[in-house]
Amino acid sequence: MQADIEIYVLSCPTEKIISWLESTFTIIDKSSPSSLCTKVTIAIDTNEIDVTILEQAAGKRFTSVWFDSDKTPWKDDIACAKQAFEALNCEIRCNFQGWEEEGNQDPDQWWRINSHEEGPFIWN
């Protein structure tokens, strides 16, 4: 289980991301601390998970979707990315191996899913 899950969504409106969350989870609370940030609390089984949706998180076109919990239904970022791509039909990027404090991974090594391909690539 990962401590948290984070994906990056290319050129996808926040409203569409929230619709995906609504179709998958129960939304308990929603707020917008700023024009670029939306915070949502979702419920799955008996767990509540805080989700932060941050527009322009990586350049102008990528929105970060961060699930701040180890209780998500996915085993890793890639599993989440696959479901998000199916639902949103826009390019999804995520960390290739999940974040590890002691990891020897290349920080530029990412996983990308779009309508043309799926697989690892260097994002820099």
Side-chain angles (χ1 to χ4, degrees), residues 35-68:
S35 61
L36 295 178
C37 181
T38 302
K39 290 190 174 283
V40 181
T41 303
I42 59 174
I44 180 166
D45 302 323
T46 57
N47 301 307
E48 290 186 11
I49 299 171
D50 291 322
V51 182
T52 301
I53 302 166
L54 183 62
E55 294 176 33
Q56 299 181 16
K60 291 256 183 258
R61 296 166 57 219
F62 280 94
T63 297
S64 163
V65 184
W66 178 46
F67 297 84
D68 185 13

PDB file of all heavy atoms in Angstrom, residues 35-68:
ATOM      1  N   SER A  35      -8.463  29.954  -6.597  1.00  0.00           N
ATOM      2  CA  SER A  35      -9.009  29.758  -7.942  1.00  0.00           C
ATOM      3  C   SER A  35      -8.405  28.542  -8.630  1.00  0.00           C
ATOM      4  O   SER A  35      -9.010  27.978  -9.535  1.00  0.00           O
ATOM      5  CB  SER A  35      -8.784  31.008  -8.787  1.00  0.00           C
ATOM      6  OG  SER A  35      -7.394  31.261  -8.916  1.00  0.00           O
ATOM      7  N   LEU A  36      -7.211  28.116  -8.211  1.00  0.00           N
ATOM      8  CA  LEU A  36      -6.558  26.967  -8.850  1.00  0.00           C
ATOM      9  C   LEU A  36      -6.659  25.688  -8.023  1.00  0.00           C
ATOM     10  O   LEU A  36      -6.264  24.625  -8.487  1.00  0.00           O
ATOM     11  CB  LEU A  36      -5.075  27.276  -9.105  1.00  0.00           C
ATOM     12  CG  LEU A  36      -4.778  28.395 -10.096  1.00  0.00           C
ATOM     13  CD1 LEU A  36      -3.276  28.622 -10.204  1.00  0.00           C
ATOM     14  CD2 LEU A  36      -5.370  28.090 -11.459  1.00  0.00           C
ATOM     15  N   CYS A  37      -7.171  25.788  -6.797  1.00  0.00           N
ATOM     16  CA  CYS A  37      -7.168  24.635  -5.897  1.00  0.00           C
ATOM     17  C   CYS A  37      -8.587  24.289  -5.442  1.00  0.00           C
ATOM     18  O   CYS A  37      -9.331  25.159  -4.999  1.00  0.00           O
ATOM     19  CB  CYS A  37      -6.295  24.946  -4.672  1.00  0.00           C
ATOM     20  SG  CYS A  37      -6.201  23.594  -3.497  1.00  0.00           S
ATOM     21  N   THR A  38      -8.925  23.007  -5.559  1.00  0.00           N
ATOM     22  CA  THR A  38     -10.190  22.493  -5.048  1.00  0.00           C
ATOM     23  C   THR A  38      -9.869  21.346  -4.101  1.00  0.00           C
ATOM     24  O   THR A  38      -9.055  20.485  -4.421  1.00  0.00           O
ATOM     25  CB  THR A  38     -11.091  21.989  -6.196  1.00  0.00           C
ATOM     26  OG1 THR A  38     -11.317  23.060  -7.106  1.00  0.00           O
ATOM     27  CG2 THR A  38     -12.422  21.469  -5.672  1.00  0.00           C
ATOM     28  N   LYS A  39     -10.483  21.356  -2.937  1.00  0.00           N
ATOM     29  CA  LYS A  39     -10.302  20.270  -1.973  1.00  0.00           C
ATOM     30  C   LYS A  39     -11.619  19.516  -1.850  1.00  0.00           C
ATOM     31  O   LYS A  39     -12.676  20.129  -1.726  1.00  0.00           O
ATOM     32  CB  LYS A  39      -9.851  20.809  -0.618  1.00  0.00           C
ATOM     33  CG  LYS A  39      -8.432  21.345  -0.643  1.00  0.00           C
ATOM     34  CD  LYS A  39      -7.936  21.645   0.748  1.00  0.00           C
ATOM     35  CE  LYS A  39      -6.487  22.043   0.760  1.00  0.00           C
ATOM     36  NZ  LYS A  39      -5.559  20.932   0.620  1.00  0.00           N
ATOM     37  N   VAL A  40     -11.517  18.190  -1.899  1.00  0.00           N
ATOM     38  CA  VAL A  40     -12.697  17.336  -1.833  1.00  0.00           C
ATOM     39  C   VAL A  40     -12.431  16.268  -0.787  1.00  0.00           C
ATOM     40  O   VAL A  40     -11.319  15.739  -0.700  1.00  0.00           O
ATOM     41  CB  VAL A  40     -12.964  16.667  -3.209  1.00  0.00           C
ATOM     42  CG1 VAL A  40     -14.201  15.796  -3.159  1.00  0.00           C
ATOM     43  CG2 VAL A  40     -13.089  17.700  -4.309  1.00  0.00           C
ATOM     44  N   THR A  41     -13.430  15.962   0.023  1.00  0.00           N
ATOM     45  CA  THR A  41     -13.341  14.811   0.919  1.00  0.00           C
ATOM     46  C   THR A  41     -14.268  13.746   0.363  1.00  0.00           C
ATOM     47  O   THR A  41     -15.449  14.011   0.128  1.00  0.00           O
ATOM     48  CB  THR A  41     -13.746  15.188   2.361  1.00  0.00           C
ATOM     49  OG1 THR A  41     -12.918  16.260   2.801  1.00  0.00           O
ATOM     50  CG2 THR A  41     -13.574  13.999   3.298  1.00  0.00           C
ATOM     51  N   ILE A  42     -13.681  12.557   0.120  1.00  0.00           N
ATOM     52  CA  ILE A  42     -14.462  11.456  -0.442  1.00  0.00           C
ATOM     53  C   ILE A  42     -14.543  10.334   0.581  1.00  0.00           C
ATOM     54  O   ILE A  42     -13.722  10.249   1.488  1.00  0.00           O
ATOM     55  CB  ILE A  42     -13.843  10.941  -1.763  1.00  0.00           C
ATOM     56  CG1 ILE A  42     -12.401  10.448  -1.541  1.00  0.00           C
ATOM     57  CG2 ILE A  42     -13.906  12.018  -2.840  1.00  0.00           C
ATOM     58  CD1 ILE A  42     -11.759   9.801  -2.757  1.00  0.00           C
ATOM     59  N   ALA A  43     -15.534   9.480   0.400  1.00  0.00           N
ATOM     60  CA  ALA A  43     -15.684   8.318   1.277  1.00  0.00           C
ATOM     61  C   ALA A  43     -15.660   7.061   0.433  1.00  0.00           C
ATOM     62  O   ALA A  43     -16.271   7.002  -0.637  1.00  0.00           O
ATOM     63  CB  ALA A  43     -16.992   8.407   2.050  1.00  0.00           C
ATOM     64  N   ILE A  44     -14.928   6.068   0.935  1.00  0.00           N
ATOM     65  CA  ILE A  44     -14.936   4.744   0.335  1.00  0.00           C
ATOM     66  C   ILE A  44     -14.965   3.755   1.496  1.00  0.00           C
ATOM     67  O   ILE A  44     -14.155   3.858   2.421  1.00  0.00           O
ATOM     68  CB  ILE A  44     -13.747   4.503  -0.611  1.00  0.00           C
ATOM     69  CG1 ILE A  44     -13.833   3.102  -1.205  1.00  0.00           C
ATOM     70  CG2 ILE A  44     -12.420   4.751   0.041  1.00  0.00           C
ATOM     71  CD1 ILE A  44     -12.920   2.873  -2.378  1.00  0.00           C
ATOM     72  N   ASP A  45     -15.908   2.841   1.461  1.00  0.00           N
ATOM     73  CA  ASP A  45     -16.140   1.943   2.588  1.00  0.00           C
ATOM     74  C   ASP A  45     -16.333   2.801   3.845  1.00  0.00           C
ATOM     75  O   ASP A  45     -17.190   3.650   3.860  1.00  0.00           O
ATOM     76  CB  ASP A  45     -14.994   0.939   2.748  1.00  0.00           C
ATOM     77  CG  ASP A  45     -14.806   0.104   1.475  1.00  0.00           C
ATOM     78  OD1 ASP A  45     -15.823  -0.227   0.839  1.00  0.00           O
ATOM     79  OD2 ASP A  45     -13.657  -0.200   1.129  1.00  0.00           O
ATOM     80  N   THR A  46     -15.505   2.626   4.865  1.00  0.00           N
ATOM     81  CA  THR A  46     -15.649   3.427   6.082  1.00  0.00           C
ATOM     82  C   THR A  46     -14.564   4.491   6.176  1.00  0.00           C
ATOM     83  O   THR A  46     -14.435   5.146   7.202  1.00  0.00           O
ATOM     84  CB  THR A  46     -15.563   2.527   7.330  1.00  0.00           C
ATOM     85  OG1 THR A  46     -14.310   1.824   7.290  1.00  0.00           O
ATOM     86  CG2 THR A  46     -16.708   1.531   7.355  1.00  0.00           C
ATOM     87  N   ASN A  47     -13.790   4.665   5.105  1.00  0.00           N
ATOM     88  CA  ASN A  47     -12.675   5.616   5.140  1.00  0.00           C
ATOM     89  C   ASN A  47     -13.028   6.927   4.452  1.00  0.00           C
ATOM     90  O   ASN A  47     -13.675   6.933   3.413  1.00  0.00           O
ATOM     91  CB  ASN A  47     -11.453   5.012   4.422  1.00  0.00           C
ATOM     92  CG  ASN A  47     -11.015   3.722   5.075  1.00  0.00           C
ATOM     93  OD1 ASN A  47     -10.786   3.675   6.261  1.00  0.00           O
ATOM     94  ND2 ASN A  47     -10.917   2.663   4.286  1.00  0.00           N
ATOM     95  N   GLU A  48     -12.563   8.019   5.062  1.00  0.00           N
ATOM     96  CA  GLU A  48     -12.656   9.322   4.422  1.00  0.00           C
ATOM     97  C   GLU A  48     -11.272   9.680   3.907  1.00  0.00           C
ATOM     98  O   GLU A  48     -10.272   9.485   4.602  1.00  0.00           O
ATOM     99  CB  GLU A  48     -13.139  10.386   5.411  1.00  0.00           C
ATOM    100  CG  GLU A  48     -14.595  10.211   5.787  1.00  0.00           C
ATOM    101  CD  GLU A  48     -15.126  11.338   6.656  1.00  0.00           C
ATOM    102  OE1 GLU A  48     -14.417  12.372   6.809  1.00  0.00           O
ATOM    103  OE2 GLU A  48     -16.242  11.194   7.172  1.00  0.00           O
ATOM    104  N   ILE A  49     -11.210  10.187   2.684  1.00  0.00           N
ATOM    105  CA  ILE A  49      -9.941  10.523   2.041  1.00  0.00           C
ATOM    106  C   ILE A  49     -10.000  11.970   1.570  1.00  0.00           C
ATOM    107  O   ILE A  49     -10.950  12.366   0.886  1.00  0.00           O
ATOM    108  CB  ILE A  49      -9.684   9.591   0.836  1.00  0.00           C
ATOM    109  CG1 ILE A  49      -9.605   8.131   1.309  1.00  0.00           C
ATOM    110  CG2 ILE A  49      -8.428  10.004   0.074  1.00  0.00           C
ATOM    111  CD1 ILE A  49      -9.560   7.116   0.172  1.00  0.00           C
ATOM    112  N   ASP A  50      -8.966  12.739   1.914  1.00  0.00           N
ATOM    113  CA  ASP A  50      -8.854  14.111   1.429  1.00  0.00           C
ATOM    114  C   ASP A  50      -8.171  14.098   0.071  1.00  0.00           C
ATOM    115  O   ASP A  50      -7.120  13.473  -0.102  1.00  0.00           O
ATOM    116  CB  ASP A  50      -8.047  14.968   2.408  1.00  0.00           C
ATOM    117  CG  ASP A  50      -8.801  15.205   3.709  1.00  0.00           C
ATOM    118  OD1 ASP A  50     -10.036  15.387   3.647  1.00  0.00           O
ATOM    119  OD2 ASP A  50      -8.167  15.214   4.765  1.00  0.00           O
ATOM    120  N   VAL A  51      -8.779  14.787  -0.883  1.00  0.00           N
ATOM    121  CA  VAL A  51      -8.238  14.879  -2.234  1.00  0.00           C
ATOM    122  C   VAL A  51      -8.012  16.355  -2.547  1.00  0.00           C
ATOM    123  O   VAL A  51      -8.899  17.176  -2.327  1.00  0.00           O
ATOM    124  CB  VAL A  51      -9.214  14.277  -3.273  1.00  0.00           C
ATOM    125  CG1 VAL A  51      -8.612  14.328  -4.672  1.00  0.00           C
ATOM    126  CG2 VAL A  51      -9.597  12.857  -2.902  1.00  0.00           C
ATOM    127  N   THR A  52      -6.819  16.670  -3.042  1.00  0.00           N
ATOM    128  CA  THR A  52      -6.515  18.031  -3.468  1.00  0.00           C
ATOM    129  C   THR A  52      -6.347  18.035  -4.978  1.00  0.00           C
ATOM    130  O   THR A  52      -5.552  17.266  -5.525  1.00  0.00           O
ATOM    131  CB  THR A  52      -5.236  18.557  -2.799  1.00  0.00           C
ATOM    132  OG1 THR A  52      -5.417  18.526  -1.376  1.00  0.00           O
ATOM    133  CG2 THR A  52      -4.940  19.989  -3.220  1.00  0.00           C
ATOM    134  N   ILE A  53      -7.108  18.894  -5.646  1.00  0.00           N
ATOM    135  CA  ILE A  53      -7.017  19.053  -7.101  1.00  0.00           C
ATOM    136  C   ILE A  53      -6.395  20.430  -7.344  1.00  0.00           C
ATOM    137  O   ILE A  53      -6.987  21.447  -6.998  1.00  0.00           O
ATOM    138  CB  ILE A  53      -8.419  18.960  -7.743  1.00  0.00           C
ATOM    139  CG1 ILE A  53      -9.068  17.624  -7.391  1.00  0.00           C
ATOM    140  CG2 ILE A  53      -8.326  19.151  -9.253  1.00  0.00           C
ATOM    141  CD1 ILE A  53     -10.566  17.557  -7.693  1.00  0.00           C
ATOM    142  N   LEU A  54      -5.198  20.426  -7.896  1.00  0.00           N
ATOM    143  CA  LEU A  54      -4.452  21.676  -8.068  1.00  0.00           C
ATOM    144  C   LEU A  54      -4.157  21.896  -9.544  1.00  0.00           C
ATOM    145  O   LEU A  54      -3.392  21.146 -10.152  1.00  0.00           O
ATOM    146  CB  LEU A  54      -3.143  21.632  -7.265  1.00  0.00           C
ATOM    147  CG  LEU A  54      -2.304  22.904  -7.290  1.00  0.00           C
ATOM    148  CD1 LEU A  54      -3.055  24.079  -6.673  1.00  0.00           C
ATOM    149  CD2 LEU A  54      -0.980  22.685  -6.588  1.00  0.00           C
ATOM    150  N   GLU A  55      -4.792  22.926 -10.110  1.00  0.00           N
ATOM    151  CA  GLU A  55      -4.555  23.253 -11.514  1.00  0.00           C
ATOM    152  C   GLU A  55      -3.175  23.889 -11.689  1.00  0.00           C
ATOM    153  O   GLU A  55      -2.645  24.504 -10.763  1.00  0.00           O
ATOM    154  CB  GLU A  55      -5.644  24.202 -12.023  1.00  0.00           C
ATOM    155  CG  GLU A  55      -7.027  23.566 -12.053  1.00  0.00           C
ATOM    156  CD  GLU A  55      -8.102  24.551 -12.464  1.00  0.00           C
ATOM    157  OE1 GLU A  55      -7.836  25.453 -13.275  1.00  0.00           O
ATOM    158  OE2 GLU A  55      -9.234  24.411 -11.955  1.00  0.00           O
ATOM    159  N   GLN A  56      -2.616  23.749 -12.875  1.00  0.00           N
ATOM    160  CA  GLN A  56      -1.305  24.312 -13.234  1.00  0.00           C
ATOM    161  C   GLN A  56      -0.203  23.836 -12.283  1.00  0.00           C
ATOM    162  O   GLN A  56       0.718  24.578 -11.953  1.00  0.00           O
ATOM    163  CB  GLN A  56      -1.367  25.851 -13.281  1.00  0.00           C
ATOM    164  CG  GLN A  56      -2.348  26.366 -14.314  1.00  0.00           C
ATOM    165  CD  GLN A  56      -2.400  27.879 -14.370  1.00  0.00           C
ATOM    166  OE1 GLN A  56      -1.527  28.566 -13.870  1.00  0.00           O
ATOM    167  NE2 GLN A  56      -3.448  28.403 -14.998  1.00  0.00           N
ATOM    168  N   ALA A  57      -0.305  22.577 -11.854  1.00  0.00           N
ATOM    169  CA  ALA A  57       0.667  22.025 -10.898  1.00  0.00           C
ATOM    170  C   ALA A  57       2.000  21.712 -11.574  1.00  0.00           C
ATOM    171  O   ALA A  57       3.046  21.762 -10.940  1.00  0.00           O
ATOM    172  CB  ALA A  57       0.107  20.766 -10.250  1.00  0.00           C
ATOM    173  N   ALA A  58       1.956  21.365 -12.847  1.00  0.00           N
ATOM    174  CA  ALA A  58       3.184  21.082 -13.598  1.00  0.00           C
ATOM    175  C   ALA A  58       3.015  21.777 -14.941  1.00  0.00           C
ATOM    176  O   ALA A  58       2.351  21.275 -15.826  1.00  0.00           O
ATOM    177  CB  ALA A  58       3.383  19.579 -13.777  1.00  0.00           C
ATOM    178  N   GLY A  59       3.559  22.964 -15.041  1.00  0.00           N
ATOM    179  CA  GLY A  59       3.302  23.760 -16.236  1.00  0.00           C
ATOM    180  C   GLY A  59       1.870  24.258 -16.212  1.00  0.00           C
ATOM    181  O   GLY A  59       1.143  24.078 -15.249  1.00  0.00           O
ATOM    182  N   LYS A  60       1.446  24.889 -17.267  1.00  0.00           N
ATOM    183  CA  LYS A  60       0.105  25.481 -17.315  1.00  0.00           C
ATOM    184  C   LYS A  60      -0.987  24.443 -17.579  1.00  0.00           C
ATOM    185  O   LYS A  60      -2.143  24.668 -17.285  1.00  0.00           O
ATOM    186  CB  LYS A  60       0.045  26.544 -18.420  1.00  0.00           C
ATOM    187  CG  LYS A  60       0.868  27.778 -18.098  1.00  0.00           C
ATOM    188  CD  LYS A  60      -0.050  28.898 -17.693  1.00  0.00           C
ATOM    189  CE  LYS A  60       0.696  30.179 -17.434  1.00  0.00           C
ATOM    190  NZ  LYS A  60       0.871  30.443 -16.016  1.00  0.00           N
ATOM    191  N   ARG A  61      -0.612  23.272 -18.145  1.00  0.00           N
ATOM    192  CA  ARG A  61      -1.638  22.369 -18.663  1.00  0.00           C
ATOM    193  C   ARG A  61      -1.910  21.156 -17.786  1.00  0.00           C
ATOM    194  O   ARG A  61      -2.854  20.415 -18.041  1.00  0.00           O
ATOM    195  CB  ARG A  61      -1.253  21.934 -20.076  1.00  0.00           C
ATOM    196  CG  ARG A  61      -1.243  23.121 -21.035  1.00  0.00           C
ATOM    197  CD  ARG A  61      -0.549  22.812 -22.357  1.00  0.00           C
ATOM    198  NE  ARG A  61      -1.143  21.678 -23.034  1.00  0.00           N
ATOM    199  CZ  ARG A  61      -0.435  20.767 -23.695  1.00  0.00           C
ATOM    200  NH1 ARG A  61       0.865  20.831 -23.746  1.00  0.00           N
ATOM    201  NH2 ARG A  61      -1.048  19.767 -24.300  1.00  0.00           N
ATOM    202  N   PHE A  62      -1.099  20.916 -16.772  1.00  0.00           N
ATOM    203  CA  PHE A  62      -1.299  19.722 -15.938  1.00  0.00           C
ATOM    204  C   PHE A  62      -1.957  20.064 -14.609  1.00  0.00           C
ATOM    205  O   PHE A  62      -1.569  21.019 -13.938  1.00  0.00           O
ATOM    206  CB  PHE A  62       0.030  19.014 -15.670  1.00  0.00           C
ATOM    207  CG  PHE A  62       0.477  18.155 -16.819  1.00  0.00           C
ATOM    208  CD1 PHE A  62       1.337  18.648 -17.776  1.00  0.00           C
ATOM    209  CD2 PHE A  62       0.003  16.854 -16.952  1.00  0.00           C
ATOM    210  CE1 PHE A  62       1.741  17.865 -18.847  1.00  0.00           C
ATOM    211  CE2 PHE A  62       0.394  16.059 -18.020  1.00  0.00           C
ATOM    212  CZ  PHE A  62       1.270  16.574 -18.966  1.00  0.00           C
ATOM    213  N   THR A  63      -2.928  19.242 -14.241  1.00  0.00           N
ATOM    214  CA  THR A  63      -3.610  19.358 -12.954  1.00  0.00           C
ATOM    215  C   THR A  63      -3.212  18.161 -12.094  1.00  0.00           C
ATOM    216  O   THR A  63      -3.275  17.023 -12.542  1.00  0.00           O
ATOM    217  CB  THR A  63      -5.138  19.376 -13.160  1.00  0.00           C
ATOM    218  OG1 THR A  63      -5.477  20.537 -13.922  1.00  0.00           O
ATOM    219  CG2 THR A  63      -5.880  19.395 -11.834  1.00  0.00           C
ATOM    220  N   SER A  64      -2.791  18.447 -10.865  1.00  0.00           N
ATOM    221  CA  SER A  64      -2.450  17.386  -9.921  1.00  0.00           C
ATOM    222  C   SER A  64      -3.712  16.940  -9.199  1.00  0.00           C
ATOM    223  O   SER A  64      -4.535  17.766  -8.789  1.00  0.00           O
ATOM    224  CB  SER A  64      -1.440  17.912  -8.893  1.00  0.00           C
ATOM    225  OG  SER A  64      -1.388  17.067  -7.762  1.00  0.00           O
ATOM    226  N   VAL A  65      -3.860  15.618  -9.047  1.00  0.00           N
ATOM    227  CA  VAL A  65      -4.940  15.051  -8.232  1.00  0.00           C
ATOM    228  C   VAL A  65      -4.251  14.193  -7.184  1.00  0.00           C
ATOM    229  O   VAL A  65      -3.672  13.157  -7.495  1.00  0.00           O
ATOM    230  CB  VAL A  65      -5.928  14.218  -9.079  1.00  0.00           C
ATOM    231  CG1 VAL A  65      -7.088  13.744  -8.207  1.00  0.00           C
ATOM    232  CG2 VAL A  65      -6.444  15.017 -10.268  1.00  0.00           C
ATOM    233  N   TRP A  66      -4.289  14.671  -5.936  1.00  0.00           N
ATOM    234  CA  TRP A  66      -3.547  14.030  -4.849  1.00  0.00           C
ATOM    235  C   TRP A  66      -4.513  13.454  -3.823  1.00  0.00           C
ATOM    236  O   TRP A  66      -5.319  14.169  -3.235  1.00  0.00           O
ATOM    237  CB  TRP A  66      -2.619  15.043  -4.193  1.00  0.00           C
ATOM    238  CG  TRP A  66      -1.842  14.506  -3.032  1.00  0.00           C
ATOM    239  CD1 TRP A  66      -1.167  13.324  -2.966  1.00  0.00           C
ATOM    240  CD2 TRP A  66      -1.670  15.134  -1.759  1.00  0.00           C
ATOM    241  NE1 TRP A  66      -0.580  13.194  -1.717  1.00  0.00           N
ATOM    242  CE2 TRP A  66      -0.872  14.289  -0.964  1.00  0.00           C
ATOM    243  CE3 TRP A  66      -2.114  16.343  -1.218  1.00  0.00           C
ATOM    244  CZ2 TRP A  66      -0.514  14.599   0.340  1.00  0.00           C
ATOM    245  CZ3 TRP A  66      -1.743  16.656   0.080  1.00  0.00           C
ATOM    246  CH2 TRP A  66      -0.954  15.777   0.847  1.00  0.00           C
ATOM    247  N   PHE A  67      -4.449  12.132  -3.648  1.00  0.00           N
ATOM    248  CA  PHE A  67      -5.254  11.421  -2.655  1.00  0.00           C
ATOM    249  C   PHE A  67      -4.376  11.241  -1.418  1.00  0.00           C
ATOM    250  O   PHE A  67      -3.450  10.426  -1.433  1.00  0.00           O
ATOM    251  CB  PHE A  67      -5.688  10.053  -3.195  1.00  0.00           C
ATOM    252  CG  PHE A  67      -6.571  10.134  -4.416  1.00  0.00           C
ATOM    253  CD1 PHE A  67      -6.010  10.277  -5.687  1.00  0.00           C
ATOM    254  CD2 PHE A  67      -7.949  10.062  -4.306  1.00  0.00           C
ATOM    255  CE1 PHE A  67      -6.816  10.339  -6.819  1.00  0.00           C
ATOM    256  CE2 PHE A  67      -8.760  10.126  -5.437  1.00  0.00           C
ATOM    257  CZ  PHE A  67      -8.190  10.270  -6.693  1.00  0.00           C
ATOM    258  N   ASP A  68      -4.653  11.998  -0.358  1.00  0.00           N
ATOM    259  CA  ASP A  68      -3.799  12.019   0.829  1.00  0.00           C
ATOM    260  C   ASP A  68      -4.218  10.921   1.809  1.00  0.00           C
ATOM    261  O   ASP A  68      -4.753  11.193   2.876  1.00  0.00           O
ATOM    262  CB  ASP A  68      -3.871  13.402   1.483  1.00  0.00           C
ATOM    263  CG  ASP A  68      -2.906  13.524   2.652  1.00  0.00           C
ATOM    264  OD1 ASP A  68      -2.020  12.657   2.793  1.00  0.00           O
ATOM    265  OD2 ASP A  68      -3.040  14.489   3.428  1.00  0.00           O
TER     266      ASP A  68
END
